[in-house]
Amino acid sequence: MVSKNVSSCAGSATLPFQYVPVEEVERIEKYQLGGYHPIMIGDSLQSRYQVAHKLGYGTYSTTWLCQDSQSAEFVAIKVGTAESSAREVHVLDYLSKCTPLDHPGRAMIPSVQDNFVLHGPNGNHPCYVTAIARCTRLLISQLVLAIDYIHSQGVVHGDLHIGNVFLRLPADFNQLSIEQLYEQFGSPAFEPVVRLDGQLLPSGIPSKVVPPIWLGKASELFTTSESRALLGDLGEAVQPSAEYRYSSHAPLSFLPPEARFEPELGLSFPADIWTLACCIWIKLGQRPLFEDTLATPDDITAEQVDTLGELPRQWQQKWEARHEYYDESGLPNQGRQVSSWGERLENHIQLQRLKALVPVFDSEEKAAAMNMLRLMLCFEPKKRWTAHDILKCEWMEKWALPDYEESRLNDRGGYADSL
């Protein structure tokens, strides 16, 4: 699984800088006891997997593109920090054994090919192996089906955003040698690790780091057979019937409001529905519903209120910064630029589609799509649609799902038969 997730590492905001920062690379300070495992291009993991490139990094892991010496195929290996758990492997294993077998969303859950533990200077690191995939445009129908499948099995994703949705790579990718991989996608760009105090590197710190490889391409260049989605990064997944999760690590612009105002209730299935709506919005028009550039949590809450209306009364009382954005009557403070739901629809979706030379929604489809999204974005979690409700709504049944079914029928690569 590709993960070009560049979210900050847990606790890294409080780590003092000890090394010269490198762009597009994980915080080097996190290579410490309990943190990342030092890996170099060319390393052999388990005497089987040769490291060819980095695929990405996230809060609790780095992910590497490796060639399996037994099968000669490329795989993705996710190497957890020593403080991480094997939760994701357990969740993927559980979902792979669930019924019904014919649920179309099941095919969008990656399977674990191998798992092991690496022992290093920073601790013991859980690792698992999956097929590789590429980051690219999100396929809405497949994503909704995938969420419907995991929810039907009692699993909440917990960290859903566009960076965790991928497309499978074509079969001929495995015909490349490592040298050909570099010729086609670029060789690793090594950056030396340098201490700010000029001292020698301690053990557990790699001598060089490398930004992730980019395996994607423009969305219009994808063929039907290449448009096979995978839902990735279930490391934050939770089963509400058996455990509580009180916080969300989703990006700020995707964060469901209950994670801020009612964390004591724990996250559940409606949290995924909120983040799913944010994913759908950004891929319909290529702009996020809530802009998070240089934004604070209060800025995001204000954007949510501007767009969707007043917060529930019990949340208004908890929002201490409300007076910085609204007067006592609930009107925006003078001088604030406010963008309503309708304005965001026109500027974020219709205008962006025009710029991309993609047909805009006609009045009928626009009304159906916006009705679906509004019912996914209810502030009160209990009032949001379920994934099953979404699959049965007008926009999905009349526009999205028919296109998806047609693509399956036209796919001569056998995707329809594999579901």
Side-chain angles (χ1 to χ4, degrees):
M1 175 65 60
V2 166
S3 177
K4 201 169 183 180
N5 181 353
V6 294
S7 59
S8 62
C9 298
S12 63
T14 61
L15 290 174
F17 280 94
Q18 298 175 299
Y19 302 91
V20 176
V22 180
E23 291 187 5
E24 297 188 30
V25 169
E26 63 276 12
R27 274 289 299 273
I28 299 170
E29 287 77 9
K30 195 63 188 275
Y31 283 96
Q32 61 180 5
L33 194 63
Y36 295 126
H37 178 63
I39 290 178
M40 299 292 291
I41 304 298
D43 284 354
S44 178
L45 308 182
Q46 296 297 94
S47 301
R48 174 177 175 179
Y49 304 105
Q50 183 179 355
V51 179
H53 215 305
K54 181 191 287 178
L55 288 172
Y57 62 93
T59 303
Y60 295 107
S61 63
T62 54
T63 307
W64 301 87
L65 175 63
C66 302
Q67 190 170 52
D68 183 353
S69 62
Q70 293 186 9
S71 66
E73 295 184 347
F74 286 101
V75 295
I77 300 185
K78 192 168 188 177
V79 181
T81 61
E83 66 187 12
S84 67
S85 70
R87 170 187 295 272
E88 188 165 9
V89 173
H90 297 322
V91 171
L92 292 173
D93 184 60
Y94 166 75
L95 290 172
S96 70
K97 296 176 181 176
C98 290
T99 56
L101 299 177
D102 61 349
H103 192 296
R106 183 188 179 100
M108 295 144 207
I109 307 301
S111 59
V112 177
Q113 300 176 7
D114 189 12
N115 67 88
F116 51 89
V117 175
L118 287 177
H119 307 282
N122 296 329
N124 301 324
H125 305 263
C127 308
Y128 73 89
V129 182
T130 66
I132 52 176
R134 66 175 106 212
C135 300
T136 185
R137 61 185 293 273
L138 179 152
L139 303 179
I140 293 173
S141 298
Q142 294 182 67
L143 179 56
V144 176
L145 287 166
I147 294 300
D148 182 57
Y149 174 66
I150 68 170
H151 283 193
S152 72
Q153 306 305 322
V155 174
V156 174
H157 188 283
D159 189 22
L160 183 62
H161 56 83
I162 57 173
N164 284 337
V165 182
F166 313 96
L167 292 184
R168 301 174 190 266
L169 283 165
D172 60 7
F173 185 86
N174 281 314
Q175 298 175 10
L176 298 175
S177 65
I178 292 180
E179 292 72 21
Q180 290 170 329
L181 171 79
Y182 293 161
E183 289 177 5
Q184 186 168 340
F185 296 99
S187 301
F190 296 103
E191 296 285 348
V193 173
V194 179
R195 283 181 58 138
L196 291 172
D197 61 11
Q199 298 298 310
L200 296 177
L201 299 179
S203 63
I205 301 288
S207 61
K208 299 176 183 178
V209 289
V210 59
I213 191 173
W214 173 244
L215 298 177
K217 62 180 179 180
S219 58
E220 64 270 14
L221 300 179
F222 279 92
T223 64
T224 302
S225 62
E226 291 178 312
S227 300
R228 309 175 187 180
L230 285 174
L231 178 62
D233 204 350
L234 279 89
E236 298 296 322
V238 63
Q239 293 179 282
S241 64
E243 56 185 327
Y244 282 100
R245 175 66 55 77
Y246 297 102
S247 62
S248 171
H249 292 126
L252 187 58
S253 62
F254 286 75
L255 194 70
E258 64 268 28
R260 181 179 190 194
F261 293 107
E262 291 184 334
E264 68 278 3
L265 298 182
L267 295 181
S268 192
F269 305 100
D272 276 353
I273 300 302
W274 180 280
T275 53
L276 175 60
C278 293
C279 288
I280 292 174
W281 181 283
I282 198 172
K283 297 317 296 180
L284 287 177
Q286 304 302 314
R287 278 190 64 183
L289 177 56
F290 308 116
E291 303 279 0
D292 63 354
T293 303
L294 302 179
T296 66
D298 289 319
D299 293 335
I300 295 297
T301 296
E303 280 204 69
Q304 292 171 349
V305 172
D306 293 341
T307 307
L308 304 170
E310 282 285 2
L311 292 172
R313 185 174 299 274
Q314 67 273 22
W315 291 359
Q316 291 183 39
Q317 298 171 351
K318 295 181 179 180
W319 189 20
E320 296 179 356
R322 182 177 181 274
H323 68 279
E324 298 178 13
Y325 300 88
Y326 303 96
D327 62 22
E328 291 300 321
S329 64
L331 294 175
N333 289 339
Q334 189 172 7
R336 275 194 65 224
Q337 291 187 338
V338 174
S339 182
S340 67
W341 174 266
E343 291 169 335
R344 289 171 194 258
L345 165 64
E346 295 303 321
N347 294 330
H348 292 200
I349 295 181
Q350 298 287 65
L351 180 59
Q352 299 305 315
R353 295 173 75 87
L354 276 174
K355 289 181 178 178
L357 303 180
V358 176
V360 298
F361 291 145
D362 62 27
S363 58
E364 183 182 8
E365 183 176 3
K366 179 171 69 173
M370 294 306 105
N371 179 64
M372 175 188 73
L373 288 166
R374 285 302 297 261
L375 289 168
M376 296 171 69
L377 291 166
C378 291
F379 277 127
E380 296 182 59
K382 293 182 179 179
K383 293 183 179 180
R384 288 177 209 152
W385 269 359
T386 66
H388 189 69
D389 293 332
I390 299 167
L391 288 173
K392 297 296 182 182
C393 78
E394 181 184 11
W395 187 73
M396 290 295 296
E397 289 195 331
K398 192 169 182 179
W399 285 278
L401 287 174
D403 286 348
Y404 166 64
E405 292 297 335
E406 182 180 359
S407 71
R408 290 177 62 196
L409 292 174
N410 292 336
D411 180 8
R412 297 180 180 179
Y415 181 46
D417 295 335
S418 69
L419 290 181

